[in-house]
Amino acid sequence: MKKIFLSAAMLTVAFAFGQKKEIAAAVKAIDAGDLATTNAQIAQAESAMGDKTYLLEPAVLEQYYYAKGLSLLKAGKTAEGASYLGKINDLAKNKIYVGKDSSKNKVYYVGKAAADQSGIQGLKEESYTPTLTSKLSGSINPVIEAANKVALDAYNAKKYAEAAPKFQEVYDLLNAAGQDNKKYLYYSGLTYALADKKKEASTIYMNLLNSGYTGIETTYTAKNKKSNEVENLEKSTWDLYKKMGATADYSDFKTETSKSVEKELYETTVALLLDTDQNEEALSLIEKGLKKFPNNAKLAELQGTAYFKSGKTNEFVSSLKKQLASNPNDATNWYNLGVLQSKDPATEAEALASYKKAVEIKPELVQAWQNMTYMTMGDDAKAIDDYNAARKAGKIEESNKIIAARRARLAAALPFAEKWYQYDNNSIDAVSLLKGLYGSARNEAKQAEFKAKEEAMTAAQK
C-alpha cells in the first residue's frame, strides 16, 4: 500500500479550508441563536489556529470576530465581546498587508504595525470593506444603551473605577457598529484618572493622541416642527432638510463646534506618565507636544520635572544655556532654565534671575510670575510651624526673627503676585494669595478689595 504524503502547501490549504468551514458554521449558529454550537465551532477553530489569526483572509477573520464577539455578548461577557466586535471596524480602517511567510503560508496582517512586526518583506497593501456590520445593530444597540446607562450612573455616583471600563465598553460597541466615536474613549481615560488608575488612564490618552484625536466635534441641530423640540441630526440629514427650506419638517438649523482638548491631553498624559515613573515616555511625549504647542508653559515645566526625575538635569541645563547663548531672546528657554534651577535650593537665586529674563522678553508669561511668587514666599507653612514651636518653647527672640523674616519674604513676593494677577485676573488662586499678602502688609483697603473679589469669584463658580 502506498503512503500518502501531503506537501506543506497542501497542508496550508487544508488548514485554511478547515478554519473557514468551522467559522462559517459558527456564524450560521450565532445568527440562529444556537450559542452551544457557536462556541463549539469557535473552540475547534481556535484550537487549530491558536493566535495565528493573520493566516485568516479578511472575510474569514471578520466572520470569526463577528461570531466570537456576539457569543461573548450573549454570554454576558460584554467587555470582551465588544472588544472582538470592535476589531471588525479595524479591518475597514486599516490597510491589509498580504504576502507569504517563510513556509509559503499566505498571510494577512491588519495595519502597518502588525506588518512591520512580522518582519516579512514585500507585503502588498490591500483594502477590505466589512460586510457584517449592518447585521450587528439589532444585537448591539440594546447593549450600548445598557452599558452607557451603567457608565453614566456610576460616574454621577462618583464610582469612577466602575464607570471607566464601561465607557470604554461603549466605545468598543459603537466602534463595532461602525461609529468610531472616540469621545467615549476620552471619557474612559478621564474617569480612570479620577479613579486614580493612572496607568490605565495614560494608556488610553496615549492611544487618543496617537490616533490624532482633538475632541473637536460639530453638532448639527434643528427644531422639529411637529414636536417643537430641538433634535440632533446627522450632517447629511441636516444638510438635506436645510436645503428644503420652508417645506422641511425642521427649522432653526444650528451648528455647534466643541473646543479642542488636544493641549490638555498632552499636559495630562505627561503628568500621568511622570506620576507612574514612565519618565522616558514622558520626555518623548513632551518633545512631540512642544512641537505643536511651543509656548506651552505647563509642558515646559513638566519637561523640567521629567529631566530631573530621569537624572538628566545637568544635561538639560547645559543644553538650555547653549541655546540661550545663541538666542538670548527665547523666553521659553529662559523659563525652562528657571524651572530646572528652582529644583535645587543652591541655584534658586539663578532661577529667579532666569524667570526675570523670561518676563522681560514676554511679560504675559503668567507661569513665570506665579513661580517667582511662590519661590520668594518659600515654605510658608513651615515658617508658621517653626514660629509656633518657638513661641511654645518660650523662645521669644527666635520666634520674632522667624516672623520678621516671613514678613520680609511675603513683602518681596507681593510685586510678583501683582504681576501674576495683572496678566491672569481670572485666577482665583492669584486673588486669594493677594488677599493674604495685602493682609500681611497691613494694607487693609487692598485686603478688603481682594476679599470681595475672591467671594464674587467663588460665588460665580457655584
Side-chain angles (χ1 to χ4, degrees):
M1 182 182 234
K2 290 184 179 180
K3 291 184 179 179
I4 298 173
F5 294 94
L6 291 177
S7 67
M10 286 296 293
L11 285 170
T12 301
V13 170
F15 167 83
F17 179 77
Q19 309 319 302
K20 189 172 183 178
K21 185 178 178 182
E22 290 154 359
I23 291 170
V27 170
K28 187 176 180 180
I30 198 67
D31 284 344
D34 185 351
L35 193 58
T37 300
T38 303
N39 290 334
Q41 293 293 335
I42 288 173
Q44 195 171 340
E46 288 178 336
S47 176
M49 71 182 179
D51 60 354
K52 297 178 181 179
T53 54
Y54 56 83
L55 293 173
L56 301 179
E57 60 186 277
V60 179
L61 186 58
E62 180 191 5
Q63 291 178 336
Y64 167 67
Y65 289 149
Y66 174 87
K68 177 80 172 181
L70 283 180
S71 69
L72 287 165
L73 278 189
K74 292 179 184 296
K77 298 177 180 179
T78 312
E80 292 176 68
S83 179
Y84 273 96
L85 293 173
K87 293 177 182 181
I88 294 175
N89 201 33
D90 290 341
L91 294 172
K93 291 188 294 183
N94 293 284
K95 291 290 185 183
I96 309 297
Y97 292 82
V98 184
K100 290 188 176 180
D101 63 15
S102 58
S103 300
K104 305 301 180 184
N105 297 315
K106 197 162 186 181
V107 292
Y108 308 85
Y109 290 99
V110 181
K112 193 171 187 309
D116 290 344
Q117 191 175 5
S118 74
I120 300 173
Q121 302 299 313
L123 295 173
K124 293 181 180 179
E125 281 188 16
E126 293 183 2
S127 297
Y128 178 73
T129 302
T131 61
L132 298 174
T133 305
S134 59
K135 296 174 64 176
L136 288 171
S137 57
S139 300
I140 288 181
N141 286 345
V143 185
I144 292 174
E145 290 176 11
N148 193 42
K149 185 179 185 306
V150 172
L152 287 172
D153 288 348
Y155 179 83
N156 290 331
K158 297 185 178 180
K159 297 178 179 179
Y160 302 124
E162 294 178 23
K166 277 294 176 182
F167 278 126
Q168 183 160 8
E169 194 175 296
V170 172
Y171 167 75
D172 287 335
L173 288 165
L174 286 169
N175 191 38
Q179 298 180 47
D180 188 15
N181 193 337
K182 289 189 171 65
K183 176 174 66 178
Y184 288 95
L185 204 54
Y186 174 71
Y187 292 161
S188 179
L190 176 65
T191 44
Y192 268 127
L194 290 170
D196 205 32
K197 291 183 175 289
K198 296 176 180 178
K199 281 205 171 183
E200 291 88 341
S202 64
T203 298
I204 288 176
Y205 281 158
M206 282 292 287
N207 288 339
L208 286 169
L209 286 169
N210 290 334
S211 74
Y213 177 75
T214 64
I216 297 174
E217 186 178 86
T218 302
T219 304
Y220 299 86
T221 63
K223 184 183 286 186
N224 188 314
K225 290 179 180 178
K226 292 180 181 178
S227 66
N228 208 34
E229 292 183 355
V230 175
E231 297 177 5
N232 288 337
L233 301 174
E234 291 292 327
K235 185 181 185 304
S236 57
T237 306
W238 186 88
D239 285 336
L240 177 63
Y241 281 125
K242 190 177 182 184
K243 287 177 183 177
M244 291 172 66
T247 62
D249 294 333
Y250 290 85
S251 63
D252 297 339
F253 295 91
K254 295 179 182 177
T255 64
E256 185 177 338
T257 302
S258 58
K259 70 173 186 176
S260 172
V261 297
E262 189 176 18
K263 179 172 70 71
E264 288 78 6
L265 265 179
Y266 272 103
E267 294 172 355
T268 305
T269 307
V270 168
L272 289 167
L273 289 171
L274 289 174
D275 284 347
T276 51
D277 294 323
Q278 299 177 74
N279 303 320
E280 293 300 328
E281 292 86 347
L283 283 169
S284 177
L285 188 60
I286 289 167
E287 185 178 347
K288 184 178 175 183
L290 286 174
K291 285 180 181 177
K292 285 205 165 194
F293 307 101
N295 297 318
N296 187 291
K298 182 65 175 176
L299 284 178
E301 181 182 1
L302 289 169
Q303 188 177 47
T305 304
Y307 273 105
F308 185 76
K309 288 188 72 173
S310 59
K312 297 180 179 179
T313 307
N314 293 335
E315 177 184 331
F316 188 44
V317 168
S318 298
S319 173
L320 285 174
K321 286 182 176 179
K322 186 177 179 180
Q323 291 177 56
L324 287 167
S326 59
N327 182 16
N329 291 319
D330 189 326
T332 301
N333 279 345
W334 278 116
Y335 172 81
N336 288 343
L337 181 60
V339 169
L340 287 171
Q341 290 168 330
S342 68
K343 302 290 182 183
D344 184 353
T347 56
E348 282 189 356
E350 294 174 44
L352 198 59
S354 295
Y355 284 139
K356 286 179 179 178
K357 277 283 190 181
V359 295
E360 281 176 18
I361 299 163
K362 190 176 180 180
E364 68 275 18
L365 197 54
V366 171
Q367 196 68 39
W369 291 116
Q370 185 182 41
N371 289 0
M372 283 191 282
T373 302
Y374 287 123
M375 185 190 303
T376 305
M377 286 175 59
D379 190 344
D380 197 48
K382 183 178 183 302
I384 292 171
D385 287 343
D386 290 346
Y387 169 76
N388 289 331
R391 290 272 298 177
K392 189 175 181 180
K395 300 176 181 178
I396 305 302
E397 186 177 349
E398 183 180 335
S399 66
N400 288 339
K401 285 181 181 178
I402 292 170
I403 206 66
R406 176 178 180 266
R407 287 200 186 101
R409 286 195 303 275
L410 298 184
L414 180 56
F416 299 135
E418 288 174 330
K419 284 292 187 181
W420 171 11
Y421 176 72
Q422 178 184 335
Y423 292 106
D424 188 14
N425 55 24
N426 290 320
S427 170
I428 193 169
D429 290 335
V431 169
S432 299
L433 185 61
L434 278 168
K435 180 193 72 174
L437 291 175
Y438 283 127
S440 176
R442 296 185 173 87
N443 188 335
E444 294 179 3
K446 279 289 187 182
Q447 183 184 22
E449 176 190 339
F450 277 82
K451 183 175 184 294
K453 287 181 180 180
E454 181 187 45
E455 289 171 352
M457 292 171 81
T458 302
Q461 289 180 351
K462 291 180 180 178

